[in-house]
Amino acid sequence: MKRKTLTQYLVEQQREHGVVVPEVRLLIEVVARACKAISHAVSKGALGGVLGSLGTENVQGEVQKKLDVMSNEILLEANEWGGHLAAMASEEMETIHPIPNRYPKGEYLLLFDPLDGSSNIDVNVSIGTIFSVLRAHHDTPGQPVGEQDFMQPGNKQVASGYAVYGPQTMLVITVGNGVAGFTLDREMGSWVLTHEDMRIPEDTKEFAINMSNMRHWAPPVKHYIDDCLAGKTGPRGKDFNMRWVASMVADVHRILTRGGIFMYPWDSREPNKPGKLRLMYEANPMSLLIEQAGGAAIDGTQRILDIQPMQLHQRVSVILGSKNEVETVARYHKEHGQG
Ligand code: P6P
């Protein structure tokens, strides 16, 4: 049976389910094409002279890898001329990137982490691109947008997704009607639908957290992990497995594929920051995918998608994955204080 391509899937979602408009379909196809180019650059590795750092820092104060900057450029160049965007925002850029005046402007905002998991680039471990699509709520089409137009909660996203550059290159997206996974057919250069309706099992025995931060966690997280580690004889009554890839895209992809819980909670190393991960272009797009696949995503107490953003690069505590396990963590936060 001939598998569907990304375009066929998106046209079907547009025609049969009315969940995607032509501009959003075009936008996702452009982002998908850019991710093919990023995958090509990433897979060259040392042969393409793209490994290593630039000796510069991004707006987050993190060392920029050559591939971080390349991936950012690929996404900007691919998306600025299409006419469907009013502006873009990226982890790699301090301020928003308005569409140059020489190009037509559209009604959508595109946010992205061009290459998430940078610490894994030079050691050949899966990395990825994360993107989020919002409507530009402005009165007249073509009116310039500002950073304030991006300050929308994640529940306003019209689409989100990621590409994971691993043993296979895959694109996983939602346009609000479930989650679909596509595998890159390098010979044809097309994204082929291989995971029609990704669903997260409601229960799990696998958690993902960076255990080296244990002494810095708040009590609810410490108690939760202690009880998981206690296994069958402990209060959870079952043994747990642990995974930590240190690439959010890879950990989330595993959870979308077989269940699990991913945690990057607040910790006392930077007490004034709610967590390490960014709300607008990491937590929000991933939370939409997780919820669309039947999972849950909270910051410890509230739904991530309901958080009203105040700044473009603001951070958030992230607990997401199998619905019943996320609810268990929420219960630990109620019983052991907020943290
Ligand atoms: P740590 C990658 O740098 C990232 O932003 C996420 O993709 C990943 O989940 C996390 O940071 C890893 O952080 O502290 O374990 O290196």
Side-chain angles (χ1 to χ4, degrees):
M1 180 257 298
K2 190 169 178 336
R3 292 180 186 272
K4 289 178 194 152
T5 63
L6 173 66
T7 300
Q8 286 168 311
Y9 172 83
L10 289 171
V11 167
E12 231 172 60
Q13 293 300 314
Q14 179 184 326
R15 276 194 199 134
E16 290 171 29
H17 305 283
V19 287
V20 66
V21 294
E23 294 83 358
V24 173
R25 174 166 64 78
L26 278 172
L27 168 51
I28 293 174
E29 287 176 336
V30 168
V31 171
R33 207 170 302 125
C35 290
K36 266 196 285 189
I38 294 171
S39 173
H40 182 70
V42 163
S43 61
K44 280 191 172 175
L47 299 178
V50 295
L51 299 184
S53 301
L54 286 170
T56 52
E57 284 191 351
N58 66 10
V59 61
Q60 327 286 344
E62 293 170 341
V63 171
Q64 281 184 305
K65 303 281 188 181
K66 288 177 191 163
L67 273 170
D68 279 327
V69 175
M70 272 180 72
S71 305
N72 196 56
E73 288 305 317
I74 289 171
L75 281 159
L76 292 177
E77 283 156 25
N79 282 288
E80 59 184 8
W81 52 270
H84 35 262
L85 288 178
M88 291 183 255
S90 163
E91 181 199 46
E92 297 299 327
M93 302 184 300
E94 180 143 14
T95 56
I96 66 168
H97 181 84
I99 299 303
N101 285 332
R102 62 182 179 280
Y103 296 127
K105 293 172 185 53
E107 295 307 290
Y108 293 92
L109 304 174
L110 178 67
L111 302 94
F112 47 82
D113 180 355
L115 205 58
D116 176 69
S118 303
S119 60
N120 283 322
I121 294 176
D122 298 343
V123 294
N124 197 16
V125 169
S126 299
I127 48 185
T129 298
I130 309 171
F131 70 91
S132 169
V133 183
L134 292 169
R135 275 186 198 78
H137 287 303
H138 52 193
D139 320 336
T140 52
Q143 181 186 355
V145 294
E147 188 164 312
Q148 205 44 41
D149 294 281
F150 283 77
M151 296 300 101
Q152 302 176 42
N155 57 39
K156 298 288 186 197
Q157 293 173 101
V158 295
S160 78
Y162 61 81
V164 52
Y165 312 115
Q168 304 98 46
T169 285
M170 281 192 70
L171 180 76
V172 175
I173 64 168
T174 181
V175 291
N177 182 37
V179 176
F182 302 81
T183 303
L184 180 60
D185 174 345
R186 291 190 189 282
E187 287 161 48
M188 300 294 288
S190 56
W191 294 103
V192 178
L193 181 63
T194 48
H195 298 64
E196 179 111 23
D197 180 21
M198 299 182 85
R199 302 293 298 169
I200 303 179
E202 294 200 337
D203 294 297
T204 184
K205 296 179 181 175
E206 193 163 71
F207 64 83
I209 195 167
N210 184 335
M211 293 292 283
S212 70
N213 299 327
M214 182 178 274
R215 64 189 181 283
H216 306 300
W217 294 334
V221 173
K222 184 79 175 57
H223 283 290
Y224 168 73
I225 295 294
D226 282 347
D227 287 353
C228 289
L229 294 174
K232 273 201 184 69
T233 56
R236 300 302 313 278
K238 57 184 178 179
D239 291 341
F240 278 76
N241 190 24
M242 194 211 91
R243 286 284 183 276
W244 187 251
V245 186
S247 267
M248 185 186 197
V249 173
D251 282 314
V252 168
H253 187 73
R254 185 189 58 255
I255 288 167
L256 276 167
T257 308
R258 72 182 191 211
I261 186 166
F262 171 93
M263 303 173 75
Y264 212 115
W266 170 93
D267 70 50
S268 58
R269 290 175 297 167
E270 298 198 86
N272 301 326
K273 289 181 184 166
K276 172 180 183 183
L277 303 180
R278 288 81 173 188
L279 175 63
M280 298 303 293
Y281 40 78
E282 288 177 332
N284 273 344
M286 292 308 209
S287 297
L288 182 63
L289 288 163
I290 291 289
E291 288 200 2
Q292 282 287 319
I298 61 173
D299 68 352
T301 50
Q302 67 178 313
R303 190 174 171 238
I304 285 176
L305 293 182
D306 290 338
I307 296 173
Q308 174 54 49
M310 305 306 282
Q311 285 151 358
L312 192 60
H313 299 291
Q314 77 181 61
R315 297 167 188 264
V316 66
S317 173
V318 178
I319 295 151
L320 58 76
S322 292
K323 191 171 181 307
N324 294 341
E325 199 62 23
V326 171
E327 281 166 12
T328 299
V329 175
R331 196 178 71 243
Y332 275 74
H333 277 75
K334 285 196 191 78
E335 289 165 7
H336 299 279
Q338 297 313 315

